[in-house]
Amino acid sequence: NYFYKAIRVVNLNKTIEAIKLLNIKGCSVSMPFKEEIIKYLDYLDKDAKIVGAVNTVINKNNTLKGYNTDIFGAYKALQAININCKDSILILGAGGVARAIIIALQKQKISDIFVTNRNLKKAEELSKLFNCKFVSWEKRNNFKSSVLINTTPIGMKNHDYSTPIDVKSIKNFDKVMDVVVKKNMTSLIKIAKKMKIPFVTGLYMTFFQAANQYKIYTGIDAPLHHMVEAYNKNFNESIVLDNN
């Protein structure tokens, strides 16, 4: 019997103190705190250690352990657009979500991965860490690959109609994935849909990482069929469950 509540965090340190003082069972962690929160935790799950980012925290007797379920969510989202080992990937952004997606890609034996970021140093560091290639942010609009994956927050705000690459450049890709969570779709996804390019939204990735979180929080499997029914009723894409 749990209650799940969204809270706007102003001071991360004091929020962590409150989790312990109020004996809160656990919490989800969203941008921009996925990396910063690590210094306040007592332990990290092995996937969270590899990614260097945490999106799930469990509080057990005032001992906090961090997990990363974005890897699983990314893996399922990539399956939805039929990623295969021959695909080449361009990832926009170099934060914790980008790291989780790279791991999910590498688990599917995909090695032709390029990363780009507005901060070139971060892109270079990420490429070295995961043995990927990097592209300067200025060259992203002329780049061509099988799959475009946006992990930046561009397009997140309600009235943000911008795209992380030029509109005309979206046609340079065969598939598009956007991790931004937005019920009415980001401009990037709307354009991909209009161009009849296969796509997957941040809602899809969030669905499966949340199912993984549910298991971590409660110790029991998430009620996937009920979740799928609610998802398919409310959003512009459908989830089909498989045995994986």
Side-chain angles (χ1 to χ4, degrees):
N1 184 18
Y2 294 121
F3 180 74
Y4 191 71
K5 173 73 176 174
I7 299 173
R8 183 181 298 276
V9 173
V10 177
N11 184 308
L12 185 58
N13 184 28
K14 291 187 180 298
T15 301
I16 295 298
E17 289 179 11
I19 288 171
K20 293 182 177 181
L21 289 170
L22 298 173
N23 195 27
I24 293 171
K25 172 73 175 177
C27 64
S28 302
V29 185
S30 60
M31 292 189 289
F33 300 115
K34 292 185 179 186
E35 296 170 66
E36 184 183 350
I37 196 172
I38 290 175
K39 64 186 177 186
Y40 298 108
L41 305 179
D42 300 296
Y43 301 100
L44 289 182
D45 173 73
K46 62 178 182 178
D47 280 343
K49 278 184 181 179
I50 295 170
V51 176
V54 163
N55 75 333
T56 308
V57 176
I58 287 293
N59 177 16
K60 188 173 182 180
N61 300 321
N62 274 357
T63 298
L64 303 182
K65 184 173 181 179
Y67 298 82
N68 189 299
T69 64
D70 281 334
I71 298 173
F72 180 74
Y75 183 86
K76 299 296 286 186
L78 291 165
Q79 283 185 327
I81 50 174
N82 298 314
I83 292 286
N84 65 72
C85 61
K86 295 180 181 179
D87 282 332
S88 57
I89 316 292
L90 176 63
I91 298 176
L92 307 175
V97 178
R99 295 181 188 188
I101 287 173
I102 290 172
I103 293 171
L105 287 165
Q106 292 177 339
K107 284 186 175 184
Q108 298 181 71
K109 310 300 182 186
I110 296 171
S111 58
D112 197 13
I113 303 170
F114 297 80
V115 295
T116 186
N117 191 54
R118 286 166 287 192
N119 183 324
L120 181 60
K121 184 180 178 181
K122 286 191 71 174
E124 290 176 332
E125 289 173 351
L126 186 65
S127 65
K128 288 178 182 177
L129 184 63
F130 291 102
N131 195 28
C132 303
K133 304 152 197 169
F134 74 89
V135 179
S136 70
W137 185 253
E138 292 73 25
K139 292 182 179 179
R140 72 194 188 285
N141 291 313
N142 297 319
F143 193 88
K144 293 185 178 182
S145 70
S146 308
V147 186
L148 173 68
I149 302 177
N150 176 45
T151 72
T152 76
I154 296 172
M156 180 178 287
K157 295 180 180 178
N158 287 335
H159 300 292
D160 185 354
Y161 303 111
S162 55
T163 58
I165 64 170
D166 287 346
V167 171
K168 63 183 180 181
S169 299
I170 297 172
K171 67 178 185 299
N172 291 341
F173 305 91
D174 302 319
K175 305 166 188 175
V176 173
M177 174 177 170
D178 196 346
V179 306
V180 171
V181 178
K182 199 169 184 179
K183 180 174 180 179
N184 295 320
M185 295 189 174
T186 61
S187 292
L188 174 62
I189 292 298
K190 286 178 180 177
I191 294 164
K193 185 177 182 180
K194 187 176 181 179
M195 292 180 173
K196 301 189 184 316
I197 298 172
F199 66 86
V200 63
T201 73
L203 284 163
Y204 201 106
M205 178 174 166
T206 297
F207 177 95
F208 283 103
Q209 71 79 26
N212 198 185
Q213 283 183 322
Y214 187 99
K215 179 69 176 284
I216 293 171
Y217 291 144
T218 67
I220 60 177
D221 291 332
L224 286 178
H225 289 284
H226 293 295
M227 290 170 66
V228 166
E229 184 178 339
Y231 183 100
N232 292 347
K233 182 179 179 181
N234 286 283
F235 301 115
N236 292 318
E237 58 182 329
S238 296
I239 286 177
V240 177
L241 293 177
D242 55 33
N243 296 323
N244 298 314

